[in-house]
mmCIF file of all heavy atoms in Angstrom:
data_model
loop_
_atom_site.group_PDB
_atom_site.id
_atom_site.type_symbol
_atom_site.label_atom_id
_atom_site.label_comp_id
_atom_site.label_asym_id
_atom_site.label_seq_id
_atom_site.Cartn_x
_atom_site.Cartn_y
_atom_site.Cartn_z
ATOM 1 N N MET H 1456 -187.524 101.335 38.202
ATOM 2 C CA MET H 1456 -188.289 102.592 38.317
ATOM 3 C C MET H 1456 -187.627 103.625 37.499
ATOM 4 O O MET H 1456 -186.424 103.638 37.255
ATOM 5 C CB MET H 1456 -188.349 103.001 39.792
ATOM 6 C CG MET H 1456 -189.005 102.022 40.630
ATOM 7 S SD MET H 1456 -188.959 102.280 42.315
ATOM 8 C CE MET H 1456 -190.295 103.478 42.464
ATOM 9 N N ASN H 1457 -188.376 104.586 37.039
ATOM 10 C CA ASN H 1457 -187.776 105.535 36.192
ATOM 11 C C ASN H 1457 -188.269 107.037 36.430
ATOM 12 O O ASN H 1457 -188.109 107.822 35.527
ATOM 13 C CB ASN H 1457 -188.192 105.124 34.730
ATOM 14 C CG ASN H 1457 -189.613 105.277 34.452
ATOM 15 O OD1 ASN H 1457 -190.433 105.278 35.408
ATOM 16 N ND2 ASN H 1457 -189.965 105.532 33.207
ATOM 17 N N ALA H 1459 -187.013 109.148 38.423
ATOM 18 C CA ALA H 1459 -185.907 110.120 38.843
ATOM 19 C C ALA H 1459 -185.419 110.691 37.388
ATOM 20 O O ALA H 1459 -185.019 109.876 36.635
ATOM 21 C CB ALA H 1459 -184.898 109.517 39.591
ATOM 22 N N VAL H 1462 -180.718 113.942 37.802
ATOM 23 C CA VAL H 1462 -180.166 114.115 39.133
ATOM 24 C C VAL H 1462 -178.765 113.496 38.913
ATOM 25 O O VAL H 1462 -178.523 112.332 38.684
ATOM 26 C CB VAL H 1462 -180.804 113.240 40.146
ATOM 27 C CG1 VAL H 1462 -180.209 113.642 41.526
ATOM 28 C CG2 VAL H 1462 -182.215 113.671 40.193
ATOM 29 N N ARG H 1463 -177.801 114.346 39.111
ATOM 30 C CA ARG H 1463 -176.332 113.923 38.806
ATOM 31 C C ARG H 1463 -175.456 113.936 40.059
ATOM 32 O O ARG H 1463 -174.621 113.217 40.067
ATOM 33 C CB ARG H 1463 -175.785 114.767 37.718
ATOM 34 C CG ARG H 1463 -176.503 114.683 36.403
ATOM 35 C CD ARG H 1463 -176.418 113.395 35.756
ATOM 36 N NE ARG H 1463 -177.478 113.310 34.836
ATOM 37 C CZ ARG H 1463 -177.764 112.161 34.097
ATOM 38 N NH1 ARG H 1463 -177.099 111.012 34.249
ATOM 39 N NH2 ARG H 1463 -178.758 112.155 33.291
ATOM 40 N N ASP H 1541 -174.269 103.506 42.382
ATOM 41 C CA ASP H 1541 -175.662 103.768 41.976
ATOM 42 C C ASP H 1541 -175.660 104.332 40.666
ATOM 43 O O ASP H 1541 -176.749 104.274 40.030
ATOM 44 C CB ASP H 1541 -176.386 104.637 43.091
ATOM 45 C CG ASP H 1541 -175.647 105.912 43.340
ATOM 46 O OD1 ASP H 1541 -174.646 106.268 42.660
ATOM 47 O OD2 ASP H 1541 -176.223 106.732 44.154
ATOM 48 N N ARG H 1542 -174.601 105.033 40.202
ATOM 49 C CA ARG H 1542 -174.653 105.608 38.780
ATOM 50 C C ARG H 1542 -173.468 105.533 37.989
ATOM 51 O O ARG H 1542 -173.436 105.630 36.778
ATOM 52 C CB ARG H 1542 -174.786 107.173 38.952
ATOM 53 C CG ARG H 1542 -175.908 107.704 39.740
ATOM 54 C CD ARG H 1542 -175.839 109.219 39.889
ATOM 55 N NE ARG H 1542 -176.554 109.547 41.053
ATOM 56 C CZ ARG H 1542 -176.510 110.698 41.683
ATOM 57 N NH1 ARG H 1542 -175.615 111.623 41.121
ATOM 58 N NH2 ARG H 1542 -177.102 110.987 42.783
ATOM 59 N N LYS H 1545 -173.511 103.353 34.841
ATOM 60 C CA LYS H 1545 -174.532 103.331 33.841
ATOM 61 C C LYS H 1545 -174.075 103.947 32.602
ATOM 62 O O LYS H 1545 -173.077 104.695 32.514
ATOM 63 C CB LYS H 1545 -175.639 104.275 34.483
ATOM 64 C CG LYS H 1545 -176.416 103.579 35.576
ATOM 65 C CD LYS H 1545 -177.404 104.462 36.358
ATOM 66 C CE LYS H 1545 -178.238 103.663 37.346
ATOM 67 N NZ LYS H 1545 -178.903 104.634 38.234
ATOM 68 N N HIS H 1578 -173.777 97.825 37.708
ATOM 69 C CA HIS H 1578 -175.114 98.230 37.432
ATOM 70 C C HIS H 1578 -175.012 99.362 36.605
ATOM 71 O O HIS H 1578 -174.573 100.398 36.942
ATOM 72 C CB HIS H 1578 -175.799 98.484 38.753
ATOM 73 C CG HIS H 1578 -177.228 99.101 38.514
ATOM 74 N ND1 HIS H 1578 -178.261 98.350 38.234
ATOM 75 C CD2 HIS H 1578 -177.701 100.354 38.627
ATOM 76 C CE1 HIS H 1578 -179.352 99.083 38.166
ATOM 77 N NE2 HIS H 1578 -179.055 100.327 38.382
ATOM 78 N N THR H 1579 -175.373 99.408 35.299
ATOM 79 C CA THR H 1579 -175.967 98.420 34.501
ATOM 80 C C THR H 1579 -175.587 98.542 33.076
ATOM 81 O O THR H 1579 -175.339 99.805 32.625
ATOM 82 C CB THR H 1579 -177.509 98.356 34.717
ATOM 83 O OG1 THR H 1579 -178.139 97.372 33.748
ATOM 84 C CG2 THR H 1579 -178.129 99.729 34.351
ATOM 85 N N TRP H 1582 -179.906 99.669 29.317
ATOM 86 C CA TRP H 1582 -181.178 99.994 29.906
ATOM 87 C C TRP H 1582 -181.811 100.986 28.954
ATOM 88 O O TRP H 1582 -181.107 101.886 28.447
ATOM 89 C CB TRP H 1582 -180.849 100.787 31.284
ATOM 90 C CG TRP H 1582 -181.893 101.139 32.212
ATOM 91 C CD1 TRP H 1582 -183.213 100.680 32.145
ATOM 92 C CD2 TRP H 1582 -181.828 101.973 33.336
ATOM 93 N NE1 TRP H 1582 -183.851 101.266 33.186
ATOM 94 C CE2 TRP H 1582 -183.029 101.942 33.921
ATOM 95 C CE3 TRP H 1582 -180.814 102.619 33.930
ATOM 96 C CZ2 TRP H 1582 -183.363 102.769 35.136
ATOM 97 C CZ3 TRP H 1582 -180.982 103.352 35.212
ATOM 98 C CH2 TRP H 1582 -182.297 103.421 35.649
ATOM 99 N N TRP H 1585 -182.906 106.431 30.612
ATOM 100 C CA TRP H 1585 -181.846 107.299 30.775
ATOM 101 C C TRP H 1585 -180.806 107.224 29.628
ATOM 102 O O TRP H 1585 -179.579 107.328 29.917
ATOM 103 C CB TRP H 1585 -181.105 107.019 32.138
ATOM 104 C CG TRP H 1585 -181.814 107.257 33.336
ATOM 105 C CD1 TRP H 1585 -182.826 106.606 33.890
ATOM 106 C CD2 TRP H 1585 -181.485 108.286 34.295
ATOM 107 N NE1 TRP H 1585 -183.294 107.063 35.070
ATOM 108 C CE2 TRP H 1585 -182.459 108.164 35.390
ATOM 109 C CE3 TRP H 1585 -180.562 109.281 34.365
ATOM 110 C CZ2 TRP H 1585 -182.459 108.998 36.468
ATOM 111 C CZ3 TRP H 1585 -180.630 110.208 35.430
ATOM 112 C CH2 TRP H 1585 -181.530 110.071 36.415
ATOM 113 N N ASN H 1624 -181.245 96.121 32.481
ATOM 114 C CA ASN H 1624 -181.975 96.602 33.521
ATOM 115 C C ASN H 1624 -183.460 96.873 33.057
ATOM 116 O O ASN H 1624 -183.666 97.440 32.000
ATOM 117 C CB ASN H 1624 -181.334 97.866 34.113
ATOM 118 C CG ASN H 1624 -181.924 98.410 35.430
ATOM 119 O OD1 ASN H 1624 -182.291 97.445 36.283
ATOM 120 N ND2 ASN H 1624 -181.970 99.624 35.722
ATOM 121 N N GLU H 1625 -184.443 96.505 33.924
ATOM 122 C CA GLU H 1625 -185.768 96.879 33.617
ATOM 123 C C GLU H 1625 -186.287 96.722 32.172
ATOM 124 O O GLU H 1625 -186.713 97.584 31.563
ATOM 125 C CB GLU H 1625 -186.054 98.348 34.058
ATOM 126 C CG GLU H 1625 -185.762 98.517 35.650
ATOM 127 C CD GLU H 1625 -185.998 100.009 36.099
ATOM 128 O OE1 GLU H 1625 -186.115 100.893 35.263
ATOM 129 O OE2 GLU H 1625 -186.131 100.242 37.254
ATOM 130 N N ASN H 1670 -182.036 92.409 35.750
ATOM 131 C CA ASN H 1670 -182.548 93.204 36.913
ATOM 132 C C ASN H 1670 -183.886 93.796 36.553
ATOM 133 O O ASN H 1670 -184.019 94.386 35.506
ATOM 134 C CB ASN H 1670 -181.537 94.280 37.278
ATOM 135 C CG ASN H 1670 -181.692 94.840 38.642
ATOM 136 O OD1 ASN H 1670 -181.854 94.049 39.606
ATOM 137 N ND2 ASN H 1670 -181.639 96.144 38.738
ATOM 138 N N GLN H 1708 -185.534 94.347 42.338
ATOM 139 C CA GLN H 1708 -185.079 95.520 42.874
ATOM 140 C C GLN H 1708 -185.529 95.683 44.352
ATOM 141 O O GLN H 1708 -184.762 96.058 45.235
ATOM 142 C CB GLN H 1708 -185.458 96.739 42.083
ATOM 143 C CG GLN H 1708 -184.785 96.743 40.843
ATOM 144 C CD GLN H 1708 -185.141 98.016 39.971
ATOM 145 O OE1 GLN H 1708 -185.893 98.868 40.370
ATOM 146 N NE2 GLN H 1708 -184.688 98.079 38.777
ATOM 147 N N HIS H 1710 -187.746 97.724 45.811
ATOM 148 C CA HIS H 1710 -188.136 99.115 46.245
ATOM 149 C C HIS H 1710 -189.594 98.926 46.848
ATOM 150 O O HIS H 1710 -190.473 99.067 46.161
ATOM 151 C CB HIS H 1710 -188.093 100.099 45.240
ATOM 152 C CG HIS H 1710 -186.694 100.459 44.683
ATOM 153 N ND1 HIS H 1710 -185.782 101.049 45.365
ATOM 154 C CD2 HIS H 1710 -186.224 100.133 43.466
ATOM 155 C CE1 HIS H 1710 -184.703 101.161 44.676
ATOM 156 N NE2 HIS H 1710 -184.893 100.661 43.434
ATOM 157 N N GLU H 1740 -182.000 96.291 45.130
ATOM 158 C CA GLU H 1740 -182.108 97.599 45.415
ATOM 159 C C GLU H 1740 -183.064 97.984 46.666
ATOM 160 O O GLU H 1740 -183.920 98.757 46.548
ATOM 161 C CB GLU H 1740 -182.611 98.414 44.238
ATOM 162 C CG GLU H 1740 -181.722 98.207 42.957
ATOM 163 C CD GLU H 1740 -182.124 98.980 41.785
ATOM 164 O OE1 GLU H 1740 -182.887 99.929 41.893
ATOM 165 O OE2 GLU H 1740 -181.747 98.625 40.651
ATOM 166 N N TRP H 1782 -180.385 99.805 48.610
ATOM 167 C CA TRP H 1782 -179.987 100.934 47.777
ATOM 168 C C TRP H 1782 -179.661 102.154 48.672
ATOM 169 O O TRP H 1782 -180.217 103.093 48.776
ATOM 170 C CB TRP H 1782 -181.191 101.215 46.834
ATOM 171 C CG TRP H 1782 -180.789 101.854 45.487
ATOM 172 C CD1 TRP H 1782 -180.987 103.100 45.006
ATOM 173 C CD2 TRP H 1782 -179.949 101.242 44.532
ATOM 174 N NE1 TRP H 1782 -180.393 103.273 43.884
ATOM 175 C CE2 TRP H 1782 -179.725 102.181 43.516
ATOM 176 C CE3 TRP H 1782 -179.271 99.977 44.377
ATOM 177 C CZ2 TRP H 1782 -178.933 101.932 42.401
ATOM 178 C CZ3 TRP H 1782 -178.486 99.713 43.331
ATOM 179 C CH2 TRP H 1782 -178.336 100.693 42.254
ATOM 180 N N TRP H 1790 -181.609 107.893 47.539
ATOM 181 C CA TRP H 1790 -182.045 108.376 46.233
ATOM 182 C C TRP H 1790 -183.466 109.084 46.423
ATOM 183 O O TRP H 1790 -183.695 109.967 45.624
ATOM 184 C CB TRP H 1790 -182.065 107.414 45.088
ATOM 185 C CG TRP H 1790 -183.083 106.351 45.069
ATOM 186 C CD1 TRP H 1790 -183.313 105.501 46.105
ATOM 187 C CD2 TRP H 1790 -184.094 106.082 44.128
ATOM 188 N NE1 TRP H 1790 -184.357 104.656 45.765
ATOM 189 C CE2 TRP H 1790 -184.989 105.024 44.607
ATOM 190 C CE3 TRP H 1790 -184.454 106.763 42.879
ATOM 191 C CZ2 TRP H 1790 -185.981 104.493 43.840
ATOM 192 C CZ3 TRP H 1790 -185.596 106.217 42.164
ATOM 193 C CH2 TRP H 1790 -186.248 105.071 42.717
ATOM 194 N N GLU H 1793 -183.266 112.762 46.641
ATOM 195 C CA GLU H 1793 -182.724 113.611 45.627
ATOM 196 C C GLU H 1793 -183.971 114.528 45.081
ATOM 197 O O GLU H 1793 -185.027 114.137 45.039
ATOM 198 C CB GLU H 1793 -182.275 112.668 44.387
ATOM 199 C CG GLU H 1793 -181.025 111.991 44.713
ATOM 200 C CD GLU H 1793 -180.548 110.955 43.666
ATOM 201 O OE1 GLU H 1793 -181.267 111.013 42.541
ATOM 202 O OE2 GLU H 1793 -179.700 110.162 43.882
ATOM 203 N N SER H 1795 -185.149 115.711 42.388
ATOM 204 C CA SER H 1795 -186.111 115.309 41.359
ATOM 205 C C SER H 1795 -186.934 114.136 41.774
ATOM 206 O O SER H 1795 -188.145 113.993 41.305
ATOM 207 C CB SER H 1795 -185.382 115.004 39.997
ATOM 208 O OG SER H 1795 -184.627 113.778 40.196
ATOM 209 N N VAL H 1796 -186.364 113.251 42.614
ATOM 210 C CA VAL H 1796 -187.137 112.084 43.102
ATOM 211 C C VAL H 1796 -188.307 112.659 44.137
ATOM 212 O O VAL H 1796 -189.395 112.140 44.155
ATOM 213 C CB VAL H 1796 -186.257 111.005 43.714
ATOM 214 C CG1 VAL H 1796 -187.094 109.809 44.077
ATOM 215 C CG2 VAL H 1796 -185.229 110.555 42.772
HETATM 216 C C1 XIL M 3341 -181.049 105.848 40.799
HETATM 217 C C2 XIL M 3341 -179.871 106.377 41.535
HETATM 218 O O1 XIL M 3341 -179.775 105.933 42.867
HETATM 219 C C3 XIL M 3341 -180.072 107.907 41.501
HETATM 220 O O2 XIL M 3341 -178.928 108.447 42.111
HETATM 221 C C4 XIL M 3341 -180.269 108.380 40.172
HETATM 222 O O3 XIL M 3341 -180.586 109.770 40.258
HETATM 223 C C5 XIL M 3341 -181.444 107.619 39.449
HETATM 224 O O4 XIL M 3341 -181.185 106.305 39.445
HETATM 225 N N1 XIL M 3341 -183.844 101.664 39.751
HETATM 226 C C6 XIL M 3341 -182.647 101.429 39.313
HETATM 227 C C7 XIL M 3341 -181.525 102.388 39.752
HETATM 228 O O5 XIL M 3341 -182.367 100.385 38.562
HETATM 229 O O6 XIL M 3341 -180.548 102.498 38.777
HETATM 230 C C8 XIL M 3341 -182.030 103.719 40.132
HETATM 231 O O7 XIL M 3341 -180.950 104.380 40.752
HETATM 232 C C9 XIL M 3341 -183.167 103.478 41.164
HETATM 233 C C10 XIL M 3341 -184.315 102.755 40.619
#
Side-chain angles (χ1 to χ4, degrees):
M1456 297 174 83
N1457 66 337
V1462 185
R1463 302 289 162 187
D1541 61 358
R1542 301 176 206 164
K1545 287 175 174 166
H1578 173 79
T1579 174
W1582 190 10
W1585 294 71
N1624 194 33
E1625 300 182 343
N1670 198 47
Q1708 293 182 2
H1710 293 290
E1740 304 184 15
W1782 206 243
W1790 72 299
E1793 292 174 6
S1795 69
V1796 184

